[in-house]
Amino acid sequence: MSFDIAKVRKAFPILHEQVYNKQLVYLDNAATTQKPQSVIDVLSEYYQKYNSNIHRGVHFLSSHCTEATETARKKVQLFLRAAHAREIIFTRGTTEAINLVAQTFSQDHLKKGDEVVITRMEHHSNIVPWQMACERYGAKLKVVDIHKNGSLDLESYENALTDKVKIVAFAHVSNTLGTINPVKEMIEVAHSKNIPVLVDGAQSVQHTPVNVQDLDADFYVFSGHKIYAPTGIGVLYGKEEWLEKLPPWQGGGEMIESVTFEKTTYNELPFKFEAGTPDYIGAIALGAAIDFVEKIGIEQISSYEDMLLRYATDKIKTIEGIEIIGNANRKSGVLSFVVDGVHPYDIGVLLDKTGIAVRTGNHCTQPLHDWYGIPGTVRASFAMYNTKEEIDYLMEKLEQVLSMLR
Ligand code: C6P
């Protein structure tokens, strides 16, 4: 089946909107993706016809929502190629999933003198939770270096994995550089030293097929809103043996088996980690988003987006004074750049007036920007619905904007 871009675009109502009387060109997909009508419909249909709290009622609506939520969990399991649906925990997003692991893992596995390894390209969400855990238990946060082109320094990675290291956490794909890390190889190295690995998949699941069993990831996390689902829903995949070992995170309804004032026993997986009323309609809509992606085919999406990234990269290189930040051999979805003598913010503001949405700033990777010695970048990030024509328009407007600013 060929990739039908016109059909894909038709499915996303917002793409046909105008801003400042200009056709919207949405190139801020690493921040959040737009939603197809099928996902929007699920949200409104469920609130109109089925809404009722899950796992609680015996009545029709509650049973219906419970079943739909568990079907969505199954869809996520199959999408990630996980072994069991009970290894899929619904969270609010990537940030919450990493905090869940950092807090519960550190409780029994981190003590004074231990080390946690991350990389220089991490998003704040994969830095701060580990920093907090290290501070709390007297452990040390170690940072793996990168090369100037934005690829990971694998020698520095291997050297960092001493026997003091208790867990490693890194992004599958960098949100700023677009670098695709050699996840499988990195996990293999960590496992050869008996170190578990958390992979931040916030910028990967929407662009590339992921098989958590093949990768042998211990934990893999992502956000629904970056893969065409609503905000407020995300996923923690954890190997069953790890999730069984970790203590519960938040206490409350749903995560318990029985409660007395003297003692509480906890529910089985995945509910042990889902205290309180979850965003079940968000989860059901995430299932619809996965259906949408799978109908088109993640492989097809991946090769179409690769073509877009190559096209945009070749074009931007022809504009004088532009420096691309992130030139790794294997990249996905993201084109970040700086322009000599021009502040990224000014470029973003002027592009906005032409209908183009890009992100400017440090993209929540401040240590990475500090290392490059830059205050921020302009970032165009792509999704399955972007087109070569939109990239042409971006380049045309970028040249105009730069001629005003230089
Ligand atoms: N990056 C960006 O514009 P949340 O906010 O929990 O959905 O995702 C956090 C997160 C974690 N890891 C990576 C690699 C990410 O890219 C993000 C979110 C957005 O790049 C918002 S800062």
Side-chain angles (χ1 to χ4, degrees):
M1 203 178 70
S2 66
F3 184 82
D4 184 347
I5 183 63
K7 199 166 158 199
V8 168
R9 285 185 69 78
K10 220 170 150 199
F12 290 84
I14 205 170
L15 300 181
H16 310 287
E17 292 294 318
Q18 297 199 331
V19 291
Y20 313 111
N21 292 320
K22 304 268 182 342
Q23 175 57 49
L24 170 68
V25 174
Y26 186 76
L27 297 171
D28 194 15
N29 295 287
T32 199
T33 52
Q34 300 303 345
K35 317 306 169 199
Q37 189 63 52
S38 57
V39 168
I40 299 168
D41 285 348
V42 162
L43 288 174
S44 77
E45 188 188 357
Y46 267 80
Y47 282 114
Q48 280 179 39
K49 294 190 359 202
Y50 301 115
N51 180 41
S52 181
N53 210 333
I54 58 168
H55 300 134
R56 283 159 169 84
V58 291
H59 56 80
F60 176 85
L61 292 182
S62 177
S63 307
H64 183 86
C65 282
T66 301
E67 209 174 291
T69 305
E70 294 313 313
T71 301
R73 198 189 302 277
K74 186 83 193 161
K75 285 179 188 175
V76 176
Q77 177 213 333
L78 298 177
F79 184 63
L80 292 181
R81 308 284 189 267
H84 310 288
R86 57 184 176 275
E87 295 177 315
I88 305 299
I89 314 293
F90 285 124
T91 65
R92 282 194 301 129
T94 303
T95 304
E96 188 172 87
I98 297 174
N99 275 278
L100 188 165
V101 177
Q103 288 175 33
T104 56
F105 180 90
S106 59
Q107 205 172 308
D108 293 334
H109 294 88
L110 215 56
K111 55 181 191 328
K112 198 169 165 34
D114 287 343
E115 295 175 346
V116 172
V117 166
I118 59 169
T119 82
R120 197 176 286 289
M121 67 177 86
E122 298 314 312
H123 186 279
H124 297 164
S125 295
N126 204 25
I127 302 174
V128 185
W130 299 112
Q131 214 165 35
M132 289 163 78
C134 285
E135 268 167 25
R136 184 161 187 186
Y137 295 98
K140 184 178 163 200
L141 189 66
K142 269 200 334 203
V143 180
V144 175
D145 257 317
I146 63 169
H147 299 293
K148 265 279 178 269
N149 74 351
S151 61
L152 197 77
D153 180 342
L154 288 172
E155 209 179 302
S156 156
Y157 176 71
E158 284 212 44
N159 291 339
L161 301 185
T162 63
D163 52 11
K164 288 184 184 163
V165 177
K166 293 295 177 280
I167 190 163
V168 176
F170 54 79
H172 191 159
V173 173
S174 156
N175 69 320
T176 299
L177 306 166
T179 308
I180 304 175
N181 281 315
V183 179
K184 193 170 172 177
E185 199 181 325
M186 290 168 74
I187 292 176
E188 237 170 66
V189 176
H191 283 176
S192 72
K193 304 181 183 198
N194 287 323
I195 304 168
V197 177
L198 177 140
V199 182
D200 172 353
Q203 299 293 347
S204 50
V205 288
Q206 64 279 47
H207 298 304
T208 183
V210 170
N211 181 328
V212 289
Q213 289 187 83
D214 181 53
L215 293 176
D216 204 20
D218 299 283
F219 303 101
Y220 196 101
V221 300
F222 73 90
S223 298
H225 71 96
K226 294 189 200 282
I227 181 166
Y228 312 106
T231 50
I233 188 74
V235 168
L236 159 64
Y237 157 80
K239 274 186 190 165
E240 184 173 12
E241 54 177 294
W242 270 114
L243 295 178
E244 287 292 0
K245 241 185 290 186
L246 297 183
W249 185 41
Q250 295 177 324
E254 192 61 33
M255 53 75 73
I256 53 89
E257 182 189 54
S258 85
V259 179
T260 66
F261 286 118
E262 289 70 39
K263 181 160 177 62
T264 291
T265 56
Y266 304 119
N267 206 341
E268 61 190 12
L269 292 175
F271 312 112
K272 171 181 152 188
F273 290 104
E274 292 182 353
T277 300
D279 182 3
Y280 51 91
I281 295 186
I284 297 164
L286 171 60
I290 289 175
D291 286 345
F292 183 86
V293 165
E294 295 211 301
K295 207 164 155 203
I296 296 164
I298 189 75
E299 307 268 3
Q300 301 245 45
I301 293 169
S302 185
S303 55
Y304 178 75
E305 289 175 347
D306 282 351
M307 179 280 292
L308 283 182
L309 181 63
R310 274 197 310 276
Y311 185 75
T313 305
D314 289 347
K315 280 223 138 186
I316 209 166
K317 280 181 178 165
T318 65
I319 303 178
E320 210 197 301
I322 289 215
E323 186 192 346
I324 297 174
I325 303 296
N327 291 286
N329 284 338
R330 295 190 63 230
K331 273 188 71 173
S332 169
V334 165
L335 182 62
S336 293
F337 59 92
V338 289
V339 185
D340 209 15
V342 184
H343 200 282
Y345 177 83
D346 296 337
I347 299 174
V349 166
L350 291 179
L351 285 178
D352 175 50
K353 298 293 179 289
T354 71
I356 298 173
V358 288
R359 187 168 172 190
T360 63
N362 67 33
H363 319 303
C364 301
T365 55
Q366 199 185 325
L368 177 68
H369 282 76
D370 290 347
W371 184 75
Y372 275 107
I374 49 176
T377 61
V378 181
R379 184 187 69 183
S381 53
F382 307 108
M384 65 161 105
Y385 42 65
N386 290 125
T387 64
K388 280 163 109 176
E389 290 72 29
E390 287 181 317
I391 292 168
D392 291 341
Y393 182 70
L394 167 69
M395 300 304 163
E396 180 197 324
K397 293 299 163 194
L398 185 57
E399 285 197 280
Q400 283 174 15
V401 162
L402 293 181
S403 68
M404 288 163 69
L405 292 171
R406 292 198 279 209

